[in-house]
Amino acid sequence: MPTTVILGAGIIGLSTAHSLSLLAPPEHRIHLVEPAPELFSSASGKAAGFVAKDWFAHAIAPLGNLSFELHRALADKHNGRARWGFTESPSYSLDYDDALSSSFPDDPAHHSDASAGDAKGGGGSEPGRASIDGHNAGEQISVSEPNGSPGQGGLDWLLNNESRATAADGDVVEKAQSESASAHDGGDLPRWLRARPEALQVISDRRSTAQVHPRQLCEFLLEQCLAAGVTLHQPARATKVWRDEHDPAAVTRIRVEYLGPLAQTSDGRARTVDIPCDNIVIAAGCWTPQVYTTLFPNASRIPRIKHRAGYSVTFKAKHWPPVRAATSSSSSSVPASSVCHAVFTNADGFAPEIFSRPNGEVWLGGLNPPTPLPELPTDATLDPKEIERLLVIGRALCGEDIALRTEGLCFRPLSVTGRPIITRLHEADLGDGAKPGGHDGAGGVYVATGHGPWGISLSLGTGRVVSEMVLGRETSADVKALMKW
């Protein structure tokens, strides 16, 4: 009976378990192991949830396209807008220096306002403007070619604290702009922003960008996995791979040690379980190197993964969702068009990203200061000063009366090439000791990590191709460039 153990129950691990539960025969056993006491406590629960079809470097583009179509298909099949906030959203680049107005586009005072937002630059004395010092994390990640052109990872914008909008494909931007309504005519303009229409440039239409609520998507995937018979061990961690050396017919097992309230049995012994395994998938995000070296301490190579911290907030804003005035047949205001938006900008030292969500909240992030990686994501400590830096931008763009809902700090895994690592490891790389031998010519040890700021977007595609690798099938997307690590 083939068995796969997936280490990490974030969006990548869950997507792999979900896809494998759909593709594998019924007798295939699937286990998820997650050490954090709270599920989805890092990027899988706190990220923006931006999903793009064609914003990727050449090496990643096939996976990006596959994943976007899988996001759309899953949402169509399971009412994704209602269940996890899937919505196809236009994307905008915002010229922050020319953006700020004293009123909102739908306010009567907006069209007569001629003074606010005229000042350029990052001066701290302007009313309603953010004065923010930049941070440079300085990770040693080579994402550019020697001649300075964007590298295969396409993450120059992230490491240089620039707007994600620079990653958008030029042809897509040109097409979106040619087909969009002008800002003055309204169209899909994000009218919940206190911004001049002239400062907004559409860079992608609803056919090639979307968004999800990542925690809600993870909760849905977990629900589907459990219903399909996947076993979740949480909080728990894998501590070793072993085989009875005295029994030539013995199977390889992975030992899982429970943590927290489940750590001990009633008689005080450590609570563990040994799971026979043909396949191990390490999908532990930033913590992948630690998991890898724990299981394979004599490995000749270790996946080189750095981390990038990301702060975020969600808040309620007066002008989102929009409400139009009462009609002649109604005495009360009624909801206006609720097209959700993704807006990317630069503001005095970092690159804010702001999303209007279907649930009526606004997500704001893009602040990535150097922050040590905690042992577990639940051990992360937020810096109030960084939260305030985000709120300054939120108040400037959405009004002084925004109501804070949540504060977040998550960690995104980056490989040294800037590309995800999605591969089956060669046995020689694992060193001496026990290792899973696979099943029927397939299987072994796999790594799926390094997705950086694109983890949510690439999640379903990654889950699909990793499942196909485990089952020894041809992958649905060409990921050969992502197998090199």
Side-chain angles (χ1 to χ4, degrees):
M1 178 186 301
T3 301
T4 298
V5 178
I6 301 169
L7 305 179
I11 187 70
I12 301 299
L14 277 173
S15 295
T16 302
H18 179 253
S19 182
L20 192 57
S21 70
L22 296 175
L23 298 179
E27 64 271 15
H28 196 120
R29 295 291 178 258
I30 305 168
H31 295 260
L32 274 166
V33 181
E34 171 56 50
E38 177 188 341
L39 290 171
F40 324 131
S41 52
S42 191
S44 297
K46 299 176 181 178
F50 184 58
V51 180
K53 180 178 182 178
D54 41 26
W55 285 37
F56 303 99
H58 179 74
I60 310 171
L63 181 63
N65 184 73
L66 170 65
S67 200
F68 188 85
E69 296 305 326
L70 291 175
H71 274 286
R72 179 182 282 153
L74 189 69
D76 288 345
K77 183 176 181 180
H78 296 283
N79 191 14
R81 183 176 179 98
R83 301 195 67 175
W84 60 87
F86 176 88
T87 177
E88 296 171 334
S89 307
S91 301
Y92 287 83
S93 178
L94 173 67
D95 183 349
Y96 188 83
D97 286 336
D98 194 38
L100 298 187
S101 168
S102 62
S103 59
F104 290 82
D106 290 329
D107 289 343
H110 178 81
H111 300 288
S112 62
D113 172 44
S115 59
D118 287 340
K120 305 290 183 181
S125 61
E126 299 172 28
R129 289 299 309 276
S131 178
I132 301 171
D133 295 325
H135 287 246
N136 188 346
E139 286 93 339
Q140 296 179 354
I141 297 174
S142 177
V143 296
S144 295
E145 304 297 348
N147 62 4
S149 62
Q152 292 189 51
L155 295 184
D156 303 65
W157 59 270
L158 177 67
L159 300 184
N160 294 329
N161 286 322
E162 296 174 351
S163 170
R164 190 195 298 249
T166 61
D169 182 87
D171 292 338
V172 173
V173 172
E174 183 177 349
K175 183 177 181 181
Q177 291 174 354
S178 66
E179 295 180 355
S180 69
S182 70
H184 293 291
D185 292 336
D188 287 338
L189 188 73
R191 308 185 73 84
W192 45 274
L193 285 179
R194 190 165 66 184
R196 297 178 182 277
E198 297 85 355
L200 288 157
Q201 179 186 53
V202 63
I203 54 176
S204 188
D205 62 25
R206 282 180 274 177
R207 289 169 295 184
S208 59
T209 53
Q211 61 173 284
V212 300
H213 192 300
R215 175 178 287 274
Q216 292 174 358
L217 174 57
C218 285
E219 290 170 346
F220 169 79
L221 292 174
L222 178 60
E223 174 188 302
Q224 294 289 299
C225 286
L226 296 178
V230 175
T231 302
L232 173 65
H233 307 266
Q234 184 261 339
R237 63 183 178 185
T239 58
K240 72 174 183 178
V241 178
W242 68 281
R243 182 190 297 118
D244 186 349
E245 298 178 355
H246 303 292
D247 182 1
V251 298
T252 300
R253 300 174 184 270
I254 186 168
R255 177 159 296 173
V256 173
E257 176 184 286
Y258 290 93
L259 306 171
L262 302 177
Q264 292 186 334
T265 62
S266 57
D267 58 0
R269 292 181 292 109
R271 188 187 301 272
T272 62
V273 59
D274 291 325
I275 304 171
C277 63
D278 303 283
N279 319 289
I280 296 173
V281 178
I282 303 177
C286 302
W287 294 269
T288 292
Q290 293 90 319
V291 173
Y292 184 89
T293 54
T294 296
L295 298 182
F296 307 105
N298 300 318
S300 59
R301 299 175 65 198
I302 300 172
R304 295 175 293 170
I305 296 295
K306 303 284 187 177
H307 71 277
R308 188 77 164 180
Y311 276 84
S312 64
V313 294
T314 63
F315 54 81
K316 186 70 178 71
K318 179 180 178 181
H319 289 261
W320 178 259
V323 175
R324 65 174 179 261
T327 63
S328 58
S329 60
S330 173
S331 60
S332 59
S333 297
V334 296
S337 172
S338 57
V339 174
C340 297
H341 306 86
V343 180
F344 306 93
T345 190
N346 289 94
D348 300 328
F350 74 107
E353 302 185 354
I354 185 167
F355 296 77
S356 55
R357 286 177 163 175
N359 66 356
E361 70 183 15
V362 175
W363 184 98
L364 172 62
L367 181 58
N368 310 307
T371 306
L373 183 69
E375 183 176 350
L376 293 171
T378 46
D379 296 332
T381 302
L382 283 77
D383 184 343
K385 293 180 180 178
E386 305 295 355
I387 297 297
E388 181 57 28
R389 294 175 71 192
L390 290 173
L391 292 177
V392 167
I393 299 297
R395 296 185 193 107
L397 290 177
C398 296
E400 294 293 333
D401 55 353
I402 61 173
L404 181 64
R405 284 188 170 179
T406 64
E407 305 172 351
L409 171 59
C410 66
F411 299 88
R412 287 76 52 87
L414 295 174
S415 74
V416 294
T417 64
R419 303 187 303 266
I421 300 173
I422 303 174
T423 190
R424 181 185 190 273
L425 302 181
H426 194 283
E427 286 193 10
D429 292 329
L430 301 175
D432 299 332
K435 52 187 73 71
H439 185 83
D440 294 337
V445 178
Y446 303 81
V447 168
T449 187
H451 295 75
W454 294 111
I456 306 301
S457 187
L458 297 174
S459 59
L460 299 187
T462 298
R464 172 67 63 86
V465 300
V466 172
S467 298
E468 291 165 340
M469 289 179 181
V470 166
L471 297 173
R473 303 180 185 178
E474 181 179 357
T475 58
S476 297
D478 181 1
V479 292
K480 294 184 182 66
L482 310 183
M483 296 179 181
K484 304 172 184 178
W485 62 287

